[in-house]
């Protein structure tokens, strides 16, 4: 259409511009790259600051839809972060209307997509605040991405069929899915970034290569593992404040090690509620 004279910034009948339509899709593939390339080919500029009917920019739409690759492209095109507003929990939960909460791949997309985007924004200088972190934690809670399946053997990762397949699924040189599953979350955080989880398990769908009976358990395991550092970092200071500073921060770390991500979410909620009441 662009090659036939269509305007890159013209609105559709529903009031949305082409890029807003792309940034509200549910698939994080290459249309946005193709769109920008076509615009470059016909020498058309794109208004990166255009807003939809709800007042959201392209970047805000892409973040709310958990589209890390689209976020990459927009940031590379210098989308403005100075006036960027992080999505609320309500904006994030729009993605849950897709009705795929029982799909292991969808859960991986939520966890890896959200934390990959946080990583990208922070690398560009965005500073997360408590409400941003709570929005992500609320999304995780509603989508049950950290909830262990009840119909799977707790030691599924020792099953011979899983082990043999997992050893064949390489994530990087000399490091397989089997190696990742066996690593502690703290050590895994040094080995793989959220972006790596997204590319390997969401975009490339490498879990498709393991047996069906292990897919959901493995996906949840990866969601918990990749999100552990995020929950830990956001709960550390709130826990210390809940204890009124009576415990050294190092001891708080030891306490956190024995809590799961859901516990850490509630710690952050408790501190936020306490601060709100004091105002």
């Amino acid at each position: 259409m662009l090659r036939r004279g269509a305007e890159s910034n013209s609105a559709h009948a529903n009031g949305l511009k082409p890029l807003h339509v792309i940034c509200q899709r549910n698939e994080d593939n290459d249309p946005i790259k193709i769109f920008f390339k076509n615009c470059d080919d016909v020498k058309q500029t794109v208004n990166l600051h255009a807003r939809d009917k709800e007042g959201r920019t392209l970047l805000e739409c892409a973040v709310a839809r958990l589209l890390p690759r689209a976020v990459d492209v927009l940031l590379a095109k210098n989308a403005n972060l100075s006036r960027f507003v992080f999505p609320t929990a309500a904006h994030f939960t729009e993605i849950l209307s897709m009705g795929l909460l029982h799909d292991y791949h969808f859960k991986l997309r939520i966890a890896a997509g959200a934390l990959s985007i946080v990583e990208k924004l922070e690398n560009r200088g965005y500073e997360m605040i408590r409400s941003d972190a709570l929005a992500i934690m609320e999304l995780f809670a509603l989508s049950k991405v950290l909830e262990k399946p009840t119909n799977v053997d707790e030691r599924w990762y020792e099953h011979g069929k899983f082990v043999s397949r997992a050893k064949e699924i390489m994530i990087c040189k000399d490091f397989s899915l089997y190696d990742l599953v066996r690593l502690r979350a703290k050590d895994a955080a040094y080995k793989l970034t959220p972006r790596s989880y997204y590319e390997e398990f969401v975009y490339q769908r490498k879990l498709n290569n393991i047996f069906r009976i292990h897919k959901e358990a493995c996906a949840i395991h990866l969601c918990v593992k990749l999100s552990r550092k995020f929950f830990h970092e956001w709960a550390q200071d709130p826990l210390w404040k809940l204890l009124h500073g009576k415990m050294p921060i190092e001891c708080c770390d030891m306490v956190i090690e024995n809590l799961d991500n859901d516990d850490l979410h509630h710690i952050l909620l408790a501190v936020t509620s306490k601060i709100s009441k004091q105002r």
Side-chain angles (χ1 to χ4, degrees), residues 138-203:
E138 181 68 15
L139 172 64
F140 283 14
L142 289 172
S143 55
K144 301 179 180 180
V145 299
L146 307 178
E147 190 173 294
K148 294 180 181 179
T150 57
N151 58 343
V152 179
D153 182 352
E154 286 190 3
R155 303 189 73 82
W156 55 270
Y157 48 85
E158 293 180 350
H159 290 188
K161 287 184 176 180
F162 173 78
V163 171
S164 61
R165 286 288 177 89
K167 285 182 176 180
E168 295 173 354
I169 300 173
M170 303 307 295
I171 299 170
C172 54
K173 186 178 180 182
D174 300 325
F175 188 69
S176 67
L177 173 61
Y178 175 74
D179 298 321
L180 174 59
V181 168
R182 290 170 62 87
L183 272 184
R184 294 188 310 161
K186 182 186 294 186
D187 297 325
Y190 291 106
K191 191 73 176 179
L192 287 183
T193 64
R195 176 175 186 156
S196 299
Y197 279 93
Y198 185 84
E199 291 297 323
E200 298 292 328
F201 300 111
V202 179
Y203 195 73

Side-chain angles (χ1 to χ4, degrees), residues 56-73:
R56 291 183 292 184
T57 65
L58 297 166
L59 182 60
E60 289 163 2
C61 288
V63 171
R65 282 288 178 170
L66 301 180
L67 305 176
R69 288 188 155 217
V71 169
D72 257 343
V73 173

Side-chain angles (χ1 to χ4, degrees), residues 1-263:
M1 295 292 288
L2 289 170
R3 297 180 186 279
R4 297 176 184 174
E7 286 291 329
S8 60
N9 296 305
S10 60
H12 290 188
N14 58 7
L16 293 177
K17 294 178 171 58
L19 266 183
H20 273 107
V21 174
I22 292 173
C23 291
Q24 291 181 9
R25 288 162 52 93
N26 293 320
E27 293 295 326
D28 190 26
N29 40 34
D30 293 327
I32 191 168
K33 285 185 179 180
I34 296 170
F35 183 83
F36 274 110
K37 182 181 184 304
N38 288 339
C39 287
D40 290 341
D41 289 345
V42 297
K43 296 181 171 51
Q44 283 197 33
T45 58
V46 178
N47 180 10
L48 294 177
H49 312 301
R51 296 181 180 272
D52 64 10
K53 291 183 291 186
E54 295 183 22
R56 291 183 292 184
T57 65
L58 297 166
L59 182 60
E60 289 163 2
C61 288
V63 171
R65 282 288 178 170
L66 301 180
L67 305 176
R69 288 188 155 217
V71 169
D72 257 343
V73 173
L74 292 169
L75 290 176
K77 292 290 184 178
N78 295 317
N80 189 359
L81 269 176
S82 64
R83 300 176 67 182
F84 171 76
V85 178
F86 199 83
T88 64
H91 284 143
F92 272 127
T93 53
E94 290 176 7
I95 197 172
L96 303 184
S97 63
M98 295 168 60
L100 298 173
L101 292 183
H102 299 294
D103 179 55
Y104 77 90
H105 184 264
F106 185 65
K107 291 182 178 182
L108 259 177
R109 179 191 160 186
I110 288 175
L115 297 182
S116 174
I117 286 171
V118 168
E119 179 183 47
K120 296 172 192 298
L121 293 175
E122 290 184 330
N123 286 343
R124 285 299 187 112
Y126 180 75
E127 294 184 8
M128 294 277 290
I129 59 176
R130 184 181 290 119
S131 61
D132 300 341
L134 279 172
I136 289 177
M137 291 180 183
E138 181 68 15
L139 172 64
F140 283 14
L142 289 172
S143 55
K144 301 179 180 180
V145 299
L146 307 178
E147 190 173 294
K148 294 180 181 179
T150 57
N151 58 343
V152 179
D153 182 352
E154 286 190 3
R155 303 189 73 82
W156 55 270
Y157 48 85
E158 293 180 350
H159 290 188
K161 287 184 176 180
F162 173 78
V163 171
S164 61
R165 286 288 177 89
K167 285 182 176 180
E168 295 173 354
I169 300 173
M170 303 307 295
I171 299 170
C172 54
K173 186 178 180 182
D174 300 325
F175 188 69
S176 67
L177 173 61
Y178 175 74
D179 298 321
L180 174 59
V181 168
R182 290 170 62 87
L183 272 184
R184 294 188 310 161
K186 182 186 294 186
D187 297 325
Y190 291 106
K191 191 73 176 179
L192 287 183
T193 64
R195 176 175 186 156
S196 299
Y197 279 93
Y198 185 84
E199 291 297 323
E200 298 292 328
F201 300 111
V202 179
Y203 195 73
Q204 296 186 40
R205 294 176 177 257
K206 288 188 175 179
L207 287 195
N208 283 357
N209 297 322
I210 64 175
F211 288 96
R212 183 177 180 181
I213 59 171
H214 301 128
K215 285 180 180 178
E216 184 179 8
C218 188
I220 298 297
H221 176 87
L222 294 179
C223 289
V224 172
K225 186 161 283 184
L226 82 93
S227 61
R228 184 62 182 178
K229 182 173 181 285
F230 178 82
F231 277 80
H232 186 136
E233 290 177 347
W234 279 101
Q236 185 184 59
D237 184 62
L239 176 60
W240 186 77
K241 287 178 178 176
L242 277 179
L243 297 172
H244 306 290
K246 295 178 181 178
M247 182 183 291
I249 197 73
E250 293 79 10
C251 293
C252 288
D253 281 339
M254 294 174 64
V255 172
I256 287 174
E257 287 296 327
N258 294 303
L259 300 175
D260 61 27
N261 287 350
D262 191 48
D263 295 325

